[in-house]
Structures are given as C-alpha cells and as structure tokens.
Amino acid sequence: MERHELMQLLAGGDAVSKAALAALVDGGEYVIWEETELSSETRARAYESRRRSYQRRGIETMGLERGVQLLREHARPVRTGKITSVDGSWIFQLFLTEEGSDLVACIGGRRPERRSTP
C-alpha cells in the first residue's frame, strides 16, 4: 500500500487515527502486511489482554478500548499494519478490512523509555 493511500484511510478519523496520520505525514515508517489469517475477534482478545498488561506497566495508549470494540463488531478477518513515529516514541497498530480498502480500527501505544544499564 502506498503512503498516500494509507493517509486517505486515516484522514477524518478519530483522535488516534489523526495521531497516526500525523506520524505518517512527519515521515514515520509504516508497513501493511498482506496476511489476514486471524479474525478480528482473535485480534480483539489479544489486545484486551495487552490492555491489562499495559495498565499494569503504566504504558500510555490511545484508542485501545474503542479499537477492541471495533474489532469485535467487525467480526471478519483483518489485515494489519503498523506506523512508527519518526522519533520511535509511538507505535500505531492498524487493522484494515481484508482487502485493505477501509480502516477498521487504530490503536496507539507509547513505547516505554529504555533504561540505560550501568
């Protein structure tokens, strides 16, 4: 998928989609995988589990609860992708329809700061 196509899918969306779009416009790296082996329900269960882990670890997220809800409502296979902000501080997980023509959900997560080892 070309960058401009992905930008169109993210345009006009919710706050997390707008943040993902901004990361993409700023030159963030992205990848969209072709595989659609897992259903949206399987992805929703995985991200619900991650939500609890992120909360325990104090990791900031955007759109996680809504993203899980949208994945459950979609109830079909999804194509996944990822946008990483230029500075690497945010990662946005993308969930597209099987053919990649529409955005189903977008979830953002701030990468924890790495601690330097003495």
Side-chain angles (χ1 to χ4, degrees):
M1 176 176 288
E2 297 291 327
R3 184 176 292 267
H4 72 275
E5 294 172 309
L6 183 53
M7 290 169 70
Q8 288 176 338
L9 293 179
L10 293 167
D14 56 9
V16 66
S17 297
K18 289 178 184 176
L21 175 59
L24 197 58
V25 168
D26 287 345
E29 294 184 19
Y30 77 98
V31 62
I32 304 295
W33 291 283
E34 296 296 321
E35 301 84 27
T36 57
E37 297 171 2
L38 297 177
S39 71
S40 58
E41 178 58 33
T42 301
R43 299 281 184 185
R45 283 194 305 268
Y47 275 85
E48 179 60 29
S49 176
R50 288 181 186 185
R51 182 188 63 78
R52 292 187 297 271
S53 173
Y54 294 161
Q55 283 180 331
R56 280 193 308 272
R57 295 169 42 206
I59 296 174
E60 183 180 355
T61 62
M62 292 178 70
L64 184 54
E65 292 82 10
R66 178 75 175 136
V68 168
Q69 177 187 354
L70 290 170
L71 286 168
R72 286 204 166 106
E73 290 172 4
H74 184 65
R76 288 184 299 282
V78 288
R79 182 178 293 186
T80 58
K82 176 176 78 168
I83 298 171
T84 304
S85 64
V86 172
D87 67 2
S89 63
W90 280 90
I91 295 178
F92 299 93
Q93 292 298 140
L94 308 173
F95 304 92
L96 308 174
T97 55
E98 194 169 5
E99 63 282 348
S101 60
D102 289 299
L103 181 69
V104 174
C106 180
I107 297 171
R110 182 183 290 275
R111 278 189 163 165
E113 291 186 28
R114 297 180 186 216
R115 298 179 189 174
S116 58
T117 53

